[in-house]
Amino acid sequence: QGKNEIELECPDPTEIEIECIVRVAAQRLSSSAKIAVDIKTDRALESLHVGEEVEVTMTVTPSEWLDYVMISSPVPAGCEVIRGSGAGDFARFEGRFEEALFYVRALKEPMTFKYRMRSLFAGRFTIREASAAVMYDETLGGRGRPTQAVVKP
């Protein structure tokens, strides 16, 4: 809110070209804005074998229109996100070592995102809960449930 001004002074009669982009994130949200996060996989995580790939599907459902949302899907310690495997209507996808991240400009209805992960090491692993939140106010969002993965040799 209010007035924003930019003033430029040139010491000599020089021609100046200015390009300006203004973005405003003035979202008014109720303090009860929530996001439901649902995860499904194309195979059971309790019976994986080293080297197998799994497709993970995340469905996120907002309680109201939300701007600038980050969606995080942690992967088990014995697995990796396959780079470039992100699919869906997102602004950016990052396949990090410990999680897949999707950045969404506007979340106004249920949206589905997919990525692939590969099992690398045998063991029993706990997968942290997936989450989605407004990037500038992480109290507005939601979490899924933690789950287990078992990777056999």
Side-chain angles (χ1 to χ4, degrees):
Q1 286 183 330
K3 184 176 180 181
N4 295 302
E5 294 181 12
I6 298 175
E7 184 177 318
L8 302 172
E9 291 184 29
C10 295
D12 55 42
T14 306
E15 199 172 300
I16 296 177
E17 185 176 320
I18 298 174
E19 185 175 319
C20 181
I21 298 173
V22 177
R23 292 193 174 122
V24 178
Q27 187 175 22
R28 301 202 189 285
L29 298 171
S30 69
S31 60
S32 63
K34 298 292 179 209
I35 305 172
V37 181
D38 183 52
I39 300 278
K40 295 197 180 340
T41 56
D42 67 346
R43 61 183 47 188
L45 296 179
E46 300 81 24
S47 58
L48 296 175
H49 289 88
V50 171
E52 287 185 326
E53 292 185 9
V54 177
E55 183 175 77
V56 179
T57 302
M58 299 179 60
T59 302
V60 292
T61 305
S63 62
E64 59 187 85
W65 182 322
L66 300 170
D67 285 330
Y68 300 106
V69 176
M70 182 175 75
I71 301 151
S72 168
S73 178
V75 298
C79 297
E80 70 176 348
V81 175
I82 297 173
R83 297 230 180 255
S85 65
D89 187 14
F90 52 83
R92 181 180 171 97
F93 169 74
E94 293 180 15
R96 295 187 178 178
F97 178 72
E98 72 283 1
E99 65 189 339
L101 289 173
F102 294 89
Y103 297 91
V104 179
R105 167 64 183 88
L107 183 62
K108 47 191 164 183
E109 58 190 25
M111 295 179 77
T112 300
F113 305 95
K114 295 182 179 189
Y115 70 93
R116 296 192 67 76
M117 68 178 181
R118 180 181 302 115
S119 55
L120 299 174
F121 304 103
R124 180 178 302 275
F125 306 99
T126 297
I127 308 168
R128 292 180 299 121
E129 66 273 4
S131 64
V134 173
M135 284 188 262
Y136 302 105
D137 187 349
E138 293 182 13
T139 63
L140 303 175
R143 297 187 169 279
R145 286 182 234 141
T147 188
Q148 298 287 314
V150 177
V151 180
K152 300 173 185 173

